[in-house]
Amino acid sequence: MSHAADIALIDRFLEMMAAEAGASRNTLLAYQGDLIAASEVLGGRLGAAKPEELGRLSSEWADLANSTLARKSASLRRFFGFLADEGMRKDDPSSALARPAARRALPKILSRDDIDLLFAEIEIRLQRAGDLKRPLRLSALVELLYGSGLRATELVSLDVRAIVSDRPYAILRGKGGKERLVPVSDRARFSVARWVDVRPTGTSWLFPSGKSHLSRVRLFQMIKELARDAGIPPERVSPHVLRHAFATHLLEGGADLRALQTMLGHADIATTEIYTHVDSRRLVELVERAHPLVDAAARRS
């Protein structure tokens, strides 16, 4: 099999990922890069590679970080699975690929007391400010980060019509161009409405800045400054950490994991499980309280 043949197979695989799996452009580029690099290592024999040949890839990748190795191995497993499913190969050699014991680091955690400190600092700023524009903007930003679980990019690029005062949800276009509904609380809508009353006009952005919208970098800076003034180490707080707090605190309050997956815009429920780091003690208590076999055992005793 030639390198050109490998490229043809990779292109067919990417077409499938785009059409059937709805993979985003960045995801497709990552798959493409991993597969072409592997093909080059194997001299254009990736599509026909035998298990022992895949061992060369493991040697080639020996010095890579575990997370990178895990991604490359996952790309190849999906590729070979596609070839087998489509009848282009009679076997799937991907079992020969390395399986690094990579784990995602748990996200930084903010307690409810920490969140209270952030909002208390915002209230102080609102009471002290002569010009309310900046504290009102900050209030709306934090309410949407923590109250709706928005990603930083989703938040700063919101259209001014996205949050409506009489509608308890917003429709967002997130990763991969996929739309989803996110909840918008009464207090978040109130904060946004107060901000809209004073925001600069002449632009469609909810959070305008110059000729465009507020940048992610500036949002990060604002959240760090807020944390510092609230007495929380700034390195513990970011827009992503506030999104994580939204998920964690909802789950701790009894939210359904599938509903949370939808609100966060995760394609894979496993991502939600890692993101929310449910503690085992609470899950055990849930089983003991709700499982029918527990009730049966209690009746027999």
Side-chain angles (χ1 to χ4, degrees), residues 265-283:
H266 289 159
D268 188 344
I269 189 68
T271 306
T272 313
E273 291 168 345
I274 294 169
Y275 207 100
T276 51
H277 66 88
V278 188
D279 83 327
S280 57
R281 178 186 54 78
R282 196 176 68 81
L283 290 177

Side-chain angles (χ1 to χ4, degrees), residues 199-268:
R199 66 179 275 281
T201 57
T203 175
S204 63
W205 306 113
L206 178 56
F207 300 106
S209 179
K211 295 182 179 180
S212 184
H213 56 68
L214 182 71
S215 71
R216 292 175 74 255
V217 171
R218 182 60 189 135
L219 175 64
F220 273 70
Q221 292 171 342
M222 293 165 63
I223 297 301
K224 299 289 185 185
E225 291 166 4
L226 174 64
R228 182 199 62 211
D229 293 347
I232 302 171
E235 64 271 14
R236 290 185 53 218
V237 188
S238 70
H240 181 74
V241 171
L242 287 171
R243 170 174 156 87
H244 174 63
F246 160 82
T248 303
H249 296 166
L250 271 181
L251 198 67
E252 289 175 351
D256 174 78
L257 200 61
R258 286 289 181 186
L260 198 57
Q261 176 191 4
T262 300
M263 286 186 281
L264 291 170
H266 289 159
D268 188 344

